[in-house]
C-alpha cells in the first residue's frame, strides 16, 4: 500500500506560481511511476505530467509544457509540481498519483491505470 498526501494548493492570480507537494509513504519502493492529474468542474480527469522514478523521464500534457515542471526527491519520498505562468484554465483539483509501468513499456498516461491517488488539492487561478 502507498499513501499519497498533497499540499500546496491555493488561490493565485493569472501569471502567478504555485508549487504542489505530494508526500508518499508506505511501500514506495514498489512504485515505478508518479505524476499529477487534475479535474476541473464539469470535466474529466486530465493527465498533467508523469515521471518515471527510476530514469526520471517525464511527459507533459501540451497545455502545460514550458510552464509546469515535475520533480521527485527520492530521499524524502516527495513529488513536486512547480507551476508557473498560471492561467485560469489551470483551475482544478490536482491529484498526486502513483503506479507501475505498463508491461513491456513505460509509464501509463490514463487515470484508470494508476492505482494510488491522493485526496487532491484545489488550485484556483483568477484574474
Amino acid at each position: 500500500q502507498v499513501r499519497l498526501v498533497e499540499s500546496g494548493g491555493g488561490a493565485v492570480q493569472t501569471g502567478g506560481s504555485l508549487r504542489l507537494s505530494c508526500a508518499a509513504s508506505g511501500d514506495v519502493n514498489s512504485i515505478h511511476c508518479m505524476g499529477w492529474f487534475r479535474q476541473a468542474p464539469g470535466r474529466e480527469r486530465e493527465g498533467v505530467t508523469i515521471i518515471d522514478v527510476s530514469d526520471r523521464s517525464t511527459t507533459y500534457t501540451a497545455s502545460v509544457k514550458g510552464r509546469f515542471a515535475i520533480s521527485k526527491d527520492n530521499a524524502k519520498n516527495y513529488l513536486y509540481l512547480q507551476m508557473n505562468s498560471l492561467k485560469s484554465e489551470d483551475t482544478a483539483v490536482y491529484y498526486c498519483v502513483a503506479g507501475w509501468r505498463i508491461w513491456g513499456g513505460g509509464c501509463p498516461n490514463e487515470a484508470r491505470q494508476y492505482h494510488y491517488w491522493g485526496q487532491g488539492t484545489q488550485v484556483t487561478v483568477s484574474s
Side-chain angles (χ1 to χ4, degrees):
Q1 291 289 326
V2 174
R3 183 169 182 246
L4 304 172
V5 179
E6 303 99 333
S7 60
V12 64
Q13 290 189 326
T14 302
S17 298
L18 280 175
R19 189 175 83 152
L20 305 183
S21 299
C22 172
S25 60
D27 192 16
V28 295
N29 290 330
S30 71
I31 295 301
H32 303 151
C33 310
M34 296 187 72
W36 296 90
F37 280 71
R38 67 185 178 186
Q39 187 167 22
R43 302 187 67 177
E44 293 187 357
R45 285 187 182 183
E46 172 192 28
V48 178
T49 178
I50 300 295
I51 186 168
D52 185 308
V53 299
S54 294
D55 64 17
R56 305 296 184 107
S57 59
T58 59
T59 59
Y60 293 88
T61 192
S63 63
V64 308
K65 282 183 180 178
R67 300 189 298 121
F68 289 13
I70 189 172
S71 61
K72 189 174 184 298
D73 184 333
N74 285 340
K76 296 180 180 179
N77 289 324
Y78 268 78
L79 184 74
Y80 301 102
L81 180 63
Q82 179 65 44
M83 304 186 294
N84 300 324
S85 302
L86 283 160
K87 305 176 181 179
S88 58
E89 51 263 44
D90 295 318
T91 295
V93 176
Y94 283 72
Y95 297 91
C96 176
V97 301
W100 304 280
R101 294 187 198 94
I102 299 170
W103 181 257
C107 290
N109 294 316
E110 296 184 17
R112 63 181 176 84
Q113 294 174 299
Y114 283 89
H115 188 72
Y116 298 109
W117 289 72
Q119 81 286 354
T121 185
Q122 176 71 47
V123 172
T124 303
V125 185
S126 59
S127 57

